[in-house]
Amino acid sequence: MAILGLDLSTSIIGISCLEDDGKLLFVDYINLQKTKGTLIDKLNEAFKQLEEKNYKDKIIKYNIEIVVAEAALEKFTSGKSTAHILLMLAAFNQSFTYHFHKTYAEARKNFGIKLPKIPKGTKAHIKSKLKKEFIVGCVSVKWPEIMWQKNKNSNHCDWNYDIADALVIAANHVSKKIKNT
């Protein structure tokens, strides 16, 4: 049996798949950054990309029985999003996970990631980037076989952060399952 971990957003969806013992099966992403229009347009594009990537076959091949996703709006960072964006993301997360199963996980804390202290006065976008890089680093230690894609400046591609979050979400589910057995 396998666990599919999702880091959902309306720009990039990170996807990971782990065996129930934590062994990495695959990572992937769906890029919705160029998809304009309504929430329905974004959902349709996401489902189209899932079909193009043969996810129905992957669900069977890897015996994916559990889908976990980060809970929408579990933490709110003031000044980062408008109410409209937050409501749209919540609707997107609900609609997308309904397509698979409805299961959520608060994962980073359970994975053992303690984000480093960032000095006061650091600009918000820099703080966000530092945290994302830290999480990719933690995930890289656990799964060194992942070949992270880099851009022309040798920085991580944006989807690497979503893939890393999806792995943390799936690993959280694995650890909870192991603790309960």
Side-chain angles (χ1 to χ4, degrees):
M1 176 184 66
I3 295 104
L4 189 70
L6 301 171
D7 179 47
L8 297 167
S9 84
T10 55
S11 57
I12 298 172
I13 298 171
I15 301 170
S16 68
C17 189
L18 300 176
E19 287 184 358
D20 57 2
D21 64 358
K23 180 182 173 211
L24 177 68
L25 295 173
F26 68 87
V27 295
D28 199 359
Y29 68 95
I30 295 173
N31 192 340
L32 301 172
Q33 290 175 319
K34 294 182 181 175
T35 305
K36 304 296 178 209
T38 66
L39 176 65
I40 300 301
D41 296 326
K42 295 262 188 183
L43 285 166
N44 285 335
E45 178 60 25
F47 296 144
K48 178 181 154 209
Q49 288 187 40
L50 283 172
E51 196 168 307
E52 289 169 357
K53 294 179 178 206
N54 297 316
Y55 266 82
K56 285 182 184 175
D57 295 340
K58 287 181 181 180
I59 288 169
I60 294 166
K61 177 182 177 182
Y62 295 112
N63 190 25
I64 297 171
E65 293 184 6
I66 299 170
V67 179
V68 291
E70 192 171 34
L73 306 179
E74 209 163 83
K75 291 183 180 174
F76 175 72
T77 305
S78 178
K80 287 188 101 176
S81 300
T82 64
H84 172 75
I85 296 296
L86 293 172
L87 290 171
M88 187 173 77
L89 286 172
F92 186 85
N93 287 9
Q94 287 291 335
S95 301
F96 196 91
T97 52
Y98 179 78
H99 186 71
F100 291 102
H101 300 284
K102 187 181 172 191
T103 309
Y104 292 116
E106 167 59 45
R108 288 184 190 131
K109 180 175 73 177
N110 294 336
F111 188 73
I113 294 175
K114 185 170 178 5
L115 295 173
K117 296 272 186 206
I118 298 172
K120 284 191 172 196
T122 304
K123 295 188 187 254
H125 71 281
I126 294 172
K127 280 185 185 180
S128 176
K129 185 81 164 176
L130 290 171
K131 288 178 181 180
K132 289 176 181 182
E133 289 290 336
F134 184 79
I135 292 166
V136 168
C138 292
V139 167
S140 296
V141 169
K142 174 84 172 151
W143 294 286
E145 66 269 30
I146 297 173
M147 301 300 293
W148 299 104
Q149 293 181 18
K150 303 282 182 138
N151 62 24
K152 63 184 176 186
N153 298 324
S154 297
N155 295 321
H156 282 286
C157 292
D158 287 344
W159 49 82
N160 289 346
Y161 308 124
D162 300 288
I163 289 170
D165 282 346
L167 278 163
V168 170
I169 291 162
N172 178 62
H173 185 80
V174 168
S175 70
K176 283 182 180 177
K177 186 174 182 201
I178 290 170
K179 285 179 189 175
N180 291 334
T181 55

